[in-house]
Amino acid sequence: MKPRLITAVVACTLIGAAAIPVSGQEKPAKMNPDRVNPFVEPYNTPFDIPPFEEIEYEDYLPAITAGIERQRQEVAAIVNNKQTPTFANTILALDQSGELLEKAMIVFSALDESMSSPEMVAIAEKAYPMVSQLSDEISMDEGLFQRVKYLYDNRDNLGLDTAQKRAVESSYKSAVRNGALLSKADKEKLKQLNTRLTDLYLKFNKNLLNATNAFEIVVDKQEDLAGLPASSIAVAAEEAEARGHKGKWVFTLHAPSRLPLLQYADNRDLRRMMYQGYTRLASEGEYDNAPVIKEILKTRIEKAKLLGFDNYADYMIDNVMAKTEAAAENLLLQIWKPAIARVDEEVREMQALADKEGGNFKIAPWDYYYYAEKVRKDKYNLDEDEVRQYFAVDSVRNGIFYMANKLYGVNFTELPNAPKYHPEVKVYEVTDSAGNHVAVFMTDYFPRASKRQGAWMSEFKGAYTKEDGTEVRPIIYNVGNFSKPTADAPALLTIDEVETIFHEFGHGLHGMLTRAKYKSQAGTNVDRDFVELPSQIHEHWAFEPEMLKIYAHHYKTGEPMPDELIKKLEAASTHNQGFTTTELVGAALLDLEWGKLTNADSVNVDEFEAQVKEKLNMPKEVEFRYRSPYFKHVFGSDGYSCGYYTYLWAEVLDCDGFELFKEKGIFDPATAKAFKQYVLEKGDSEDPMELYVKFRGHKPQVDALLRNRGLK
């Protein structure tokens, strides 16, 4: 029963809090008393893109405060309506409430993640608790709940269509899950717990950003850079100069700096320093997240018990496709066993190569990336640095646009003069084959100190249909932290970065192509273990030979990737999948183990992780993809808490689904039309498994995932 915006912003921080000045460092100007807050009037911009250049730090809190009060009034009008509850005067009215709050929070939260600053952190510490409190008020409003309950109890007799009935059922279940059936005293207790969690998530994220930016490895001897690609060395030199170390090289924990060092640096001690720096991130000193994690766990356990669940995992998974923690764990263990068996094979291959080269050591975790790359070169004659020459960022962007056009008939036209929150952002209008406006799409691909790590998709405006039938079309964006351009070369992406761009663009297509009628059901507002299907299935196109010939062109010569190199990529496609799968599944199982706790009073993060590793018989050469102190998915919000498994759950769907494309043709019009109709357009208007079966013709099996990863 939570309004869509409040659920999206508080429960799933794909977006966060920062200000418009592009460096994130400028001081706010003094407030002009005659100036109009840009959030309180229509934007009057192309396609209602937020007028970023007009927004000041001082605009956020007044707009958020006014938006909260306005939504209180809108909800009160619903509750005080004397007419018998109907879908229109209750569910739809609630779905459409909170427009002003949504306008302010959707910009504020987006920029918090990508343009953070001390000023925005201060605003976040006030804004998020205020929004969380409003969310609790609405969720626990007895009068509102009684109206929803009336509709729920009579849902079979009201002539509701499928989407409306699902919205009623979702509203009722959401209300119950958020305390509607609790006593007055317990409702107050739940509000306190939710506010506490909001504060803790803010602290976790603040520690993580500060710890990430505080770390650096300064290299002052050129010989220590042996093995590293020239592009990585150039970026490290630029970073050193920016940090006051001119003439030296600086490596950071951001992926475009960290991963090439681990993968290519011949200096084993340098690799060890980077690996240990990353795996101890936010684990000690003033930015230690261990105490924060302990408090989060204690608060979550208390919340779950208050709501009638044995533990937090049961509470979180009850509301998605898997339904139970046992079902999620069962899936993971089916993948885990063949994955760790493959790790043993990979380590033997790496050890043999290290011994052959005269290395007098056993393969350690900081050797895995390095020797996996050496084995790939030795086994498949594939050099990723050679491959990167064909993956300039603009070429890859052209590739995702080509894919979308061939599959779904949409076109992308750059809008160079459109409002943008940073000079590196690119803005596009999306149109269909008849030239009709479909969406606005933005990309923000390169790292900076004010941006959190990782890659994500979200929206500056959601899609829905007004009561008069007018369609409101969305503004979608992708954010990444990919390899930056250098003085003499464009941004050349790694294989993993290319896959990530296709992944996030898949989320983007889910948001752009939605035709669901109601805000709360549109685009990515679906079950957490279904939301990764559109993103992950589109990864498969990235390295299909037919696609590579279209978009993978050498950045200097413009020549397409040669057939010989494409064949090498195909042959090596399942290389190192033991490691990749083990670190991913291990993190998902760790997440579930945290969720199964019923008491966290004596928790020690390092000891708990060690116990989970021992229980799983985890290979000592592999670490969890994210250790707990920097596991933002799980402890930075509720978004993926007890839900990191959903990447694997959805992978079962996407691998099974892509096999149909492989069978019919990767651009088969009928298959693409079915996927668009039943998955991308429907949102949460129907049961997700029923939609998948309509597209695929049967329920998925885990075998397709194992085949795709080369584990079966």
Side-chain angles (χ1 to χ4, degrees), residues 206-233:
K206 183 178 179 180
N207 281 345
L208 179 54
L209 180 63
N210 288 336
T212 301
N213 288 333
F215 180 89
E216 65 179 20
I217 295 176
V218 181
V219 176
D220 53 15
K221 296 179 181 178
Q222 190 162 5
E223 57 265 31
D224 288 340
L225 304 174
L228 283 164
S231 57
S232 296
I233 294 173

PDB file of all heavy atoms in Angstrom, residues 206-233:
ATOM      1  N   LYS A 206      27.810   6.166   3.662  1.00  0.00           N
ATOM      2  CA  LYS A 206      28.766   7.257   3.860  1.00  0.00           C
ATOM      3  C   LYS A 206      30.151   6.687   4.160  1.00  0.00           C
ATOM      4  O   LYS A 206      31.158   7.129   3.593  1.00  0.00           O
ATOM      5  CB  LYS A 206      28.286   8.153   5.002  1.00  0.00           C
ATOM      6  CG  LYS A 206      29.156   9.369   5.272  1.00  0.00           C
ATOM      7  CD  LYS A 206      28.551  10.206   6.390  1.00  0.00           C
ATOM      8  CE  LYS A 206      29.413  11.435   6.707  1.00  0.00           C
ATOM      9  NZ  LYS A 206      28.805  12.240   7.804  1.00  0.00           N
ATOM     10  N   ASN A 207      30.218   5.700   5.054  1.00  0.00           N
ATOM     11  CA  ASN A 207      31.501   5.056   5.364  1.00  0.00           C
ATOM     12  C   ASN A 207      32.115   4.426   4.117  1.00  0.00           C
ATOM     13  O   ASN A 207      33.329   4.538   3.880  1.00  0.00           O
ATOM     14  CB  ASN A 207      31.311   3.968   6.424  1.00  0.00           C
ATOM     15  CG  ASN A 207      31.193   4.526   7.826  1.00  0.00           C
ATOM     16  OD1 ASN A 207      31.510   5.677   8.078  1.00  0.00           O
ATOM     17  ND2 ASN A 207      30.733   3.707   8.756  1.00  0.00           N
ATOM     18  N   LEU A 208      31.281   3.773   3.325  1.00  0.00           N
ATOM     19  CA  LEU A 208      31.786   3.075   2.140  1.00  0.00           C
ATOM     20  C   LEU A 208      32.364   4.052   1.121  1.00  0.00           C
ATOM     21  O   LEU A 208      33.457   3.827   0.576  1.00  0.00           O
ATOM     22  CB  LEU A 208      30.664   2.246   1.515  1.00  0.00           C
ATOM     23  CG  LEU A 208      31.015   1.468   0.244  1.00  0.00           C
ATOM     24  CD1 LEU A 208      32.238   0.590   0.460  1.00  0.00           C
ATOM     25  CD2 LEU A 208      29.821   0.619  -0.189  1.00  0.00           C
ATOM     26  N   LEU A 209      31.668   5.138   0.861  1.00  0.00           N
ATOM     27  CA  LEU A 209      32.168   6.125  -0.096  1.00  0.00           C
ATOM     28  C   LEU A 209      33.468   6.747   0.405  1.00  0.00           C
ATOM     29  O   LEU A 209      34.442   6.877  -0.346  1.00  0.00           O
ATOM     30  CB  LEU A 209      31.115   7.211  -0.332  1.00  0.00           C
ATOM     31  CG  LEU A 209      31.509   8.311  -1.323  1.00  0.00           C
ATOM     32  CD1 LEU A 209      31.721   7.736  -2.719  1.00  0.00           C
ATOM     33  CD2 LEU A 209      30.434   9.408  -1.367  1.00  0.00           C
ATOM     34  N   ASN A 210      33.502   7.112   1.685  1.00  0.00           N
ATOM     35  CA  ASN A 210      34.703   7.739   2.235  1.00  0.00           C
ATOM     36  C   ASN A 210      35.890   6.779   2.244  1.00  0.00           C
ATOM     37  O   ASN A 210      37.023   7.169   1.933  1.00  0.00           O
ATOM     38  CB  ASN A 210      34.433   8.245   3.652  1.00  0.00           C
ATOM     39  CG  ASN A 210      33.531   9.466   3.669  1.00  0.00           C
ATOM     40  OD1 ASN A 210      33.454  10.195   2.687  1.00  0.00           O
ATOM     41  ND2 ASN A 210      32.837   9.692   4.772  1.00  0.00           N
ATOM     42  N   ALA A 211      35.643   5.522   2.601  1.00  0.00           N
ATOM     43  CA  ALA A 211      36.724   4.532   2.636  1.00  0.00           C
ATOM     44  C   ALA A 211      37.257   4.272   1.237  1.00  0.00           C
ATOM     45  O   ALA A 211      38.479   4.127   1.035  1.00  0.00           O
ATOM     46  CB  ALA A 211      36.225   3.234   3.263  1.00  0.00           C
ATOM     47  N   THR A 212      36.368   4.218   0.259  1.00  0.00           N
ATOM     48  CA  THR A 212      36.785   3.996  -1.128  1.00  0.00           C
ATOM     49  C   THR A 212      37.675   5.134  -1.613  1.00  0.00           C
ATOM     50  O   THR A 212      38.734   4.909  -2.213  1.00  0.00           O
ATOM     51  CB  THR A 212      35.556   3.867  -2.043  1.00  0.00           C
ATOM     52  OG1 THR A 212      34.747   2.771  -1.606  1.00  0.00           O
ATOM     53  CG2 THR A 212      35.971   3.633  -3.483  1.00  0.00           C
ATOM     54  N   ASN A 213      37.266   6.353  -1.338  1.00  0.00           N
ATOM     55  CA  ASN A 213      38.022   7.513  -1.816  1.00  0.00           C
ATOM     56  C   ASN A 213      39.326   7.723  -1.047  1.00  0.00           C
ATOM     57  O   ASN A 213      40.258   8.356  -1.554  1.00  0.00           O
ATOM     58  CB  ASN A 213      37.160   8.766  -1.740  1.00  0.00           C
ATOM     59  CG  ASN A 213      36.066   8.780  -2.795  1.00  0.00           C
ATOM     60  OD1 ASN A 213      36.205   8.178  -3.853  1.00  0.00           O
ATOM     61  ND2 ASN A 213      34.960   9.449  -2.511  1.00  0.00           N
ATOM     62  N   ALA A 214      39.406   7.192   0.185  1.00  0.00           N
ATOM     63  CA  ALA A 214      40.608   7.393   1.005  1.00  0.00           C
ATOM     64  C   ALA A 214      41.750   6.473   0.589  1.00  0.00           C
ATOM     65  O   ALA A 214      42.924   6.765   0.853  1.00  0.00           O
ATOM     66  CB  ALA A 214      40.275   7.168   2.481  1.00  0.00           C
ATOM     67  N   PHE A 215      41.435   5.375  -0.074  1.00  0.00           N
ATOM     68  CA  PHE A 215      42.463   4.379  -0.402  1.00  0.00           C
ATOM     69  C   PHE A 215      43.211   4.756  -1.679  1.00  0.00           C
ATOM     70  O   PHE A 215      42.610   5.164  -2.671  1.00  0.00           O
ATOM     71  CB  PHE A 215      41.821   2.998  -0.586  1.00  0.00           C
ATOM     72  CG  PHE A 215      42.809   1.913  -0.920  1.00  0.00           C
ATOM     73  CD1 PHE A 215      43.431   1.206   0.087  1.00  0.00           C
ATOM     74  CD2 PHE A 215      43.119   1.611  -2.236  1.00  0.00           C
ATOM     75  CE1 PHE A 215      44.352   0.205  -0.204  1.00  0.00           C
ATOM     76  CE2 PHE A 215      44.034   0.619  -2.548  1.00  0.00           C
ATOM     77  CZ  PHE A 215      44.650  -0.094  -1.526  1.00  0.00           C
ATOM     78  N   GLU A 216      44.515   4.556  -1.657  1.00  0.00           N
ATOM     79  CA  GLU A 216      45.322   4.726  -2.865  1.00  0.00           C
ATOM     80  C   GLU A 216      46.608   3.923  -2.732  1.00  0.00           C
ATOM     81  O   GLU A 216      47.108   3.699  -1.620  1.00  0.00           O
ATOM     82  CB  GLU A 216      45.642   6.197  -3.131  1.00  0.00           C
ATOM     83  CG  GLU A 216      46.524   6.843  -2.080  1.00  0.00           C
ATOM     84  CD  GLU A 216      46.851   8.304  -2.384  1.00  0.00           C
ATOM     85  OE1 GLU A 216      46.123   8.920  -3.176  1.00  0.00           O
ATOM     86  OE2 GLU A 216      47.839   8.819  -1.807  1.00  0.00           O
ATOM     87  N   ILE A 217      47.084   3.443  -3.850  1.00  0.00           N
ATOM     88  CA  ILE A 217      48.417   2.842  -3.924  1.00  0.00           C
ATOM     89  C   ILE A 217      49.258   3.741  -4.819  1.00  0.00           C
ATOM     90  O   ILE A 217      48.911   3.952  -5.987  1.00  0.00           O
ATOM     91  CB  ILE A 217      48.374   1.421  -4.507  1.00  0.00           C
ATOM     92  CG1 ILE A 217      47.597   0.482  -3.575  1.00  0.00           C
ATOM     93  CG2 ILE A 217      49.781   0.885  -4.726  1.00  0.00           C
ATOM     94  CD1 ILE A 217      47.427  -0.923  -4.138  1.00  0.00           C
ATOM     95  N   VAL A 218      50.321   4.291  -4.268  1.00  0.00           N
ATOM     96  CA  VAL A 218      51.199   5.184  -5.023  1.00  0.00           C
ATOM     97  C   VAL A 218      52.416   4.388  -5.485  1.00  0.00           C
ATOM     98  O   VAL A 218      53.131   3.796  -4.668  1.00  0.00           O
ATOM     99  CB  VAL A 218      51.648   6.389  -4.172  1.00  0.00           C
ATOM    100  CG1 VAL A 218      52.549   7.309  -4.993  1.00  0.00           C
ATOM    101  CG2 VAL A 218      50.434   7.149  -3.650  1.00  0.00           C
ATOM    102  N   VAL A 219      52.634   4.357  -6.775  1.00  0.00           N
ATOM    103  CA  VAL A 219      53.777   3.658  -7.359  1.00  0.00           C
ATOM    104  C   VAL A 219      54.761   4.704  -7.889  1.00  0.00           C
ATOM    105  O   VAL A 219      54.371   5.595  -8.651  1.00  0.00           O
ATOM    106  CB  VAL A 219      53.326   2.725  -8.506  1.00  0.00           C
ATOM    107  CG1 VAL A 219      54.535   2.069  -9.168  1.00  0.00           C
ATOM    108  CG2 VAL A 219      52.366   1.664  -7.989  1.00  0.00           C
ATOM    109  N   ASP A 220      56.016   4.604  -7.472  1.00  0.00           N
ATOM    110  CA  ASP A 220      56.990   5.606  -7.926  1.00  0.00           C
ATOM    111  C   ASP A 220      58.098   5.010  -8.790  1.00  0.00           C
ATOM    112  O   ASP A 220      59.001   5.726  -9.233  1.00  0.00           O
ATOM    113  CB  ASP A 220      57.598   6.360  -6.740  1.00  0.00           C
ATOM    114  CG  ASP A 220      58.172   5.440  -5.673  1.00  0.00           C
ATOM    115  OD1 ASP A 220      58.356   4.232  -5.975  1.00  0.00           O
ATOM    116  OD2 ASP A 220      58.427   5.904  -4.554  1.00  0.00           O
ATOM    117  N   LYS A 221      58.054   3.692  -9.041  1.00  0.00           N
ATOM    118  CA  LYS A 221      59.046   3.058  -9.903  1.00  0.00           C
ATOM    119  C   LYS A 221      58.356   2.486 -11.133  1.00  0.00           C
ATOM    120  O   LYS A 221      57.453   1.651 -11.005  1.00  0.00           O
ATOM    121  CB  LYS A 221      59.767   1.947  -9.153  1.00  0.00           C
ATOM    122  CG  LYS A 221      60.589   2.419  -7.962  1.00  0.00           C
ATOM    123  CD  LYS A 221      61.251   1.247  -7.259  1.00  0.00           C
ATOM    124  CE  LYS A 221      62.062   1.713  -6.055  1.00  0.00           C
ATOM    125  NZ  LYS A 221      62.662   0.545  -5.335  1.00  0.00           N
ATOM    126  N   GLN A 222      58.780   2.901 -12.295  1.00  0.00           N
ATOM    127  CA  GLN A 222      58.128   2.471 -13.523  1.00  0.00           C
ATOM    128  C   GLN A 222      58.222   0.966 -13.725  1.00  0.00           C
ATOM    129  O   GLN A 222      57.312   0.345 -14.286  1.00  0.00           O
ATOM    130  CB  GLN A 222      58.718   3.208 -14.734  1.00  0.00           C
ATOM    131  CG  GLN A 222      57.927   2.982 -16.015  1.00  0.00           C
ATOM    132  CD  GLN A 222      58.232   4.020 -17.080  1.00  0.00           C
ATOM    133  OE1 GLN A 222      59.111   4.850 -16.893  1.00  0.00           O
ATOM    134  NE2 GLN A 222      57.493   3.997 -18.167  1.00  0.00           N
ATOM    135  N   GLU A 223      59.292   0.351 -13.241  1.00  0.00           N
ATOM    136  CA  GLU A 223      59.433  -1.089 -13.424  1.00  0.00           C
ATOM    137  C   GLU A 223      58.356  -1.879 -12.676  1.00  0.00           C
ATOM    138  O   GLU A 223      58.052  -3.022 -13.029  1.00  0.00           O
ATOM    139  CB  GLU A 223      60.831  -1.561 -12.986  1.00  0.00           C
ATOM    140  CG  GLU A 223      61.210  -1.223 -11.556  1.00  0.00           C
ATOM    141  CD  GLU A 223      62.020   0.069 -11.452  1.00  0.00           C
ATOM    142  OE1 GLU A 223      61.803   0.979 -12.288  1.00  0.00           O
ATOM    143  OE2 GLU A 223      62.859   0.156 -10.542  1.00  0.00           O
ATOM    144  N   ASP A 224      57.762  -1.264 -11.650  1.00  0.00           N
ATOM    145  CA  ASP A 224      56.694  -1.938 -10.905  1.00  0.00           C
ATOM    146  C   ASP A 224      55.398  -2.022 -11.706  1.00  0.00           C
ATOM    147  O   ASP A 224      54.458  -2.711 -11.301  1.00  0.00           O
ATOM    148  CB  ASP A 224      56.421  -1.218  -9.582  1.00  0.00           C
ATOM    149  CG  ASP A 224      57.541  -1.419  -8.570  1.00  0.00           C
ATOM    150  OD1 ASP A 224      58.303  -2.397  -8.739  1.00  0.00           O
ATOM    151  OD2 ASP A 224      57.655  -0.612  -7.638  1.00  0.00           O
ATOM    152  N   LEU A 225      55.343  -1.320 -12.841  1.00  0.00           N
ATOM    153  CA  LEU A 225      54.139  -1.309 -13.669  1.00  0.00           C
ATOM    154  C   LEU A 225      54.183  -2.366 -14.768  1.00  0.00           C
ATOM    155  O   LEU A 225      53.260  -2.439 -15.592  1.00  0.00           O
ATOM    156  CB  LEU A 225      53.960   0.070 -14.308  1.00  0.00           C
ATOM    157  CG  LEU A 225      53.908   1.262 -13.348  1.00  0.00           C
ATOM    158  CD1 LEU A 225      53.864   2.565 -14.147  1.00  0.00           C
ATOM    159  CD2 LEU A 225      52.692   1.157 -12.429  1.00  0.00           C
ATOM    160  N   ALA A 226      55.202  -3.195 -14.763  1.00  0.00           N
ATOM    161  CA  ALA A 226      55.364  -4.195 -15.813  1.00  0.00           C
ATOM    162  C   ALA A 226      54.121  -5.060 -15.940  1.00  0.00           C
ATOM    163  O   ALA A 226      53.550  -5.512 -14.942  1.00  0.00           O
ATOM    164  CB  ALA A 226      56.581  -5.076 -15.517  1.00  0.00           C
ATOM    165  N   GLY A 227      53.694  -5.274 -17.194  1.00  0.00           N
ATOM    166  CA  GLY A 227      52.534  -6.116 -17.476  1.00  0.00           C
ATOM    167  C   GLY A 227      51.245  -5.347 -17.654  1.00  0.00           C
ATOM    168  O   GLY A 227      50.311  -5.844 -18.298  1.00  0.00           O
ATOM    169  N   LEU A 228      51.172  -4.148 -17.091  1.00  0.00           N
ATOM    170  CA  LEU A 228      49.935  -3.373 -17.166  1.00  0.00           C
ATOM    171  C   LEU A 228      49.739  -2.777 -18.560  1.00  0.00           C
ATOM    172  O   LEU A 228      50.705  -2.351 -19.200  1.00  0.00           O
ATOM    173  CB  LEU A 228      49.945  -2.240 -16.135  1.00  0.00           C
ATOM    174  CG  LEU A 228      49.670  -2.654 -14.691  1.00  0.00           C
ATOM    175  CD1 LEU A 228      50.087  -1.548 -13.735  1.00  0.00           C
ATOM    176  CD2 LEU A 228      48.185  -2.961 -14.508  1.00  0.00           C
ATOM    177  N   PRO A 229      48.494  -2.728 -19.041  1.00  0.00           N
ATOM    178  CA  PRO A 229      48.225  -2.088 -20.335  1.00  0.00           C
ATOM    179  C   PRO A 229      48.585  -0.608 -20.298  1.00  0.00           C
ATOM    180  O   PRO A 229      48.492   0.050 -19.246  1.00  0.00           O
ATOM    181  CB  PRO A 229      46.712  -2.275 -20.518  1.00  0.00           C
ATOM    182  CG  PRO A 229      46.326  -3.361 -19.583  1.00  0.00           C
ATOM    183  CD  PRO A 229      47.275  -3.281 -18.433  1.00  0.00           C
ATOM    184  N   ALA A 230      48.973  -0.076 -21.446  1.00  0.00           N
ATOM    185  CA  ALA A 230      49.344   1.335 -21.530  1.00  0.00           C
ATOM    186  C   ALA A 230      48.199   2.242 -21.090  1.00  0.00           C
ATOM    187  O   ALA A 230      48.421   3.278 -20.452  1.00  0.00           O
ATOM    188  CB  ALA A 230      49.766   1.674 -22.961  1.00  0.00           C
ATOM    189  N   SER A 231      46.955   1.847 -21.404  1.00  0.00           N
ATOM    190  CA  SER A 231      45.804   2.680 -21.027  1.00  0.00           C
ATOM    191  C   SER A 231      45.657   2.759 -19.514  1.00  0.00           C
ATOM    192  O   SER A 231      45.345   3.828 -18.965  1.00  0.00           O
ATOM    193  CB  SER A 231      44.521   2.113 -21.647  1.00  0.00           C
ATOM    194  OG  SER A 231      44.311   0.765 -21.244  1.00  0.00           O
ATOM    195  N   SER A 232      45.903   1.660 -18.809  1.00  0.00           N
ATOM    196  CA  SER A 232      45.807   1.670 -17.343  1.00  0.00           C
ATOM    197  C   SER A 232      46.912   2.515 -16.729  1.00  0.00           C
ATOM    198  O   SER A 232      46.689   3.236 -15.745  1.00  0.00           O
ATOM    199  CB  SER A 232      45.887   0.240 -16.801  1.00  0.00           C
ATOM    200  OG  SER A 232      44.798  -0.529 -17.240  1.00  0.00           O
ATOM    201  N   ILE A 233      48.118   2.442 -17.312  1.00  0.00           N
ATOM    202  CA  ILE A 233      49.231   3.251 -16.815  1.00  0.00           C
ATOM    203  C   ILE A 233      48.938   4.735 -17.024  1.00  0.00           C
ATOM    204  O   ILE A 233      49.197   5.565 -16.138  1.00  0.00           O
ATOM    205  CB  ILE A 233      50.534   2.838 -17.525  1.00  0.00           C
ATOM    206  CG1 ILE A 233      50.905   1.399 -17.142  1.00  0.00           C
ATOM    207  CG2 ILE A 233      51.665   3.799 -17.174  1.00  0.00           C
ATOM    208  CD1 ILE A 233      52.077   0.844 -17.929  1.00  0.00           C
TER     209      ILE A 233
END
